[in-house]
Amino acid sequence: MIEPRLNYVSCPGPAAVRQGQSPTQEHRMAWWEWNATGNPQHPHVVVCAHGLSRQGRDFDTLARALCHRVRVVCPDVVGRGHSDWLADPMGYHVGQYAADMLALLQHLHQQSPLDALDWVGTSMGGLIGMALCGQPGLPLPVPVRRLVLNDVGPAIQWEALVRIGQYLGQPVRFASEQQAADMLWTLSTGFGPHTPQQWMDLTRPLLRALPEGGWGLHYDPAIAVPFRALTQEAAAAGESALWQWYDQIQARTLLLRGAQSDLLSRATAQAMGQRGPRAMLVEFEGVGHAPTLVADDQVAAVTSFLLS
């Protein structure tokens, strides 16, 4: 079976200092590369960016479906997975994440010039994609050609943010991987139907072994600090800026929505089809926030859009 290669790129902004390390003005972002094209420097790159408390291995199934035709890059956004944690928790925001992605894209372009660039973003990863595609002055090596927004848009339902805030950053310790999978499933039923093996494959990369034994979650609990500081008024003010980004997107855009999503309303999804890049909408019945891009119909929707 095809497996990814783990890489790192340096990004501006100080990392949290760990025992035995010296302070630095940079942090490292991990990224997973999938490439079965036969060309290690294939010029067509698809970046897959994950959600708020997830990591790059969420896209294993999709990456395996794409990697014979394109080079697939799946970052662990800073504070998650194998990436560094930030010194300042208030640095966990879309602006920092977009700057890190620019550093990654410039690194890839310096390695070998990119001819085509596509973006697949789930939830937070979609917001990062909107930031990159909707600000024309950013130094992208090439424009984003096709953009997939997975269950996210400029207007985010406040009730969904409240729900996520109830568990984000809470200290947890699991005795086993199976206990972790069972507990995380109780928080993730909105992801829709999964077999036990599919859910374990999604769970295992979320875990890290704890020094005292057992398993904890892979992310910096401090990612919850700016999230919990967000007010309903600030979220409403941010919505205006997000719509401005969305309306300036030039990439051909596919919008995926879980039909039972509590984060992306149907009204917002319909509005996104009528303005800006006029996104093509595909909905998945029996799924809330957010489609995991593991089910065959979800993978087919993305691969056909990117490779047609």
Side-chain angles (χ1 to χ4, degrees), residues 98 102 106 131-141:
L102 285 174
Q106 290 160 0
L132 294 174
C133 297
Q135 299 183 80
L138 294 182
L140 287 166

Side-chain angles (χ1 to χ4, degrees), residues 57-172:
R57 296 300 301 268
D58 269 6
F59 296 100
D60 283 10
T61 300
L62 177 64
R64 287 193 177 98
L66 289 169
C67 68
H68 293 276
R69 300 274 299 276
V70 299
R71 189 179 175 195
V72 184
V73 170
C74 304
D76 287 346
V77 175
V78 65
R80 289 87 167 168
H82 290 260
S83 293
D84 285 342
W85 294 3
L86 290 178
D88 180 5
M90 295 309 291
Y92 290 124
H93 57 75
V94 170
Q96 178 68 64
Y97 306 151
D100 288 0
M101 297 304 167
L102 285 174
L104 170 61
L105 293 172
Q106 290 160 0
H107 173 72
L108 295 173
H109 193 59
Q110 288 167 2
Q111 285 183 328
S112 180
L114 305 184
D115 286 347
L117 174 63
D118 299 327
W119 188 277
V120 179
T122 294
S123 195
M124 180 188 75
L127 296 179
I128 301 169
M130 287 170 55
L132 294 174
C133 297
Q135 299 183 80
L138 294 182
L140 287 166
V142 292
V144 174
R145 184 188 69 112
R146 298 194 178 184
L147 171 67
V148 180
L149 299 175
N150 184 16
D151 211 66
V152 70
I156 296 173
Q157 298 300 106
W158 177 252
E159 293 77 12
L161 297 180
V162 171
R163 173 180 61 80
I164 293 168
Q166 290 173 346
Y167 65 80
L168 186 68
Q170 296 295 330
V172 291

Side-chain angles (χ1 to χ4, degrees), residues 243-258:
W243 276 117
Q244 289 180 12
W245 288 351
Y246 182 78
D247 287 339
Q248 296 185 96
I249 292 172
Q250 298 297 310
R252 186 177 173 192
T253 301
L254 171 67
L255 176 62
L256 307 178
R257 179 176 182 268

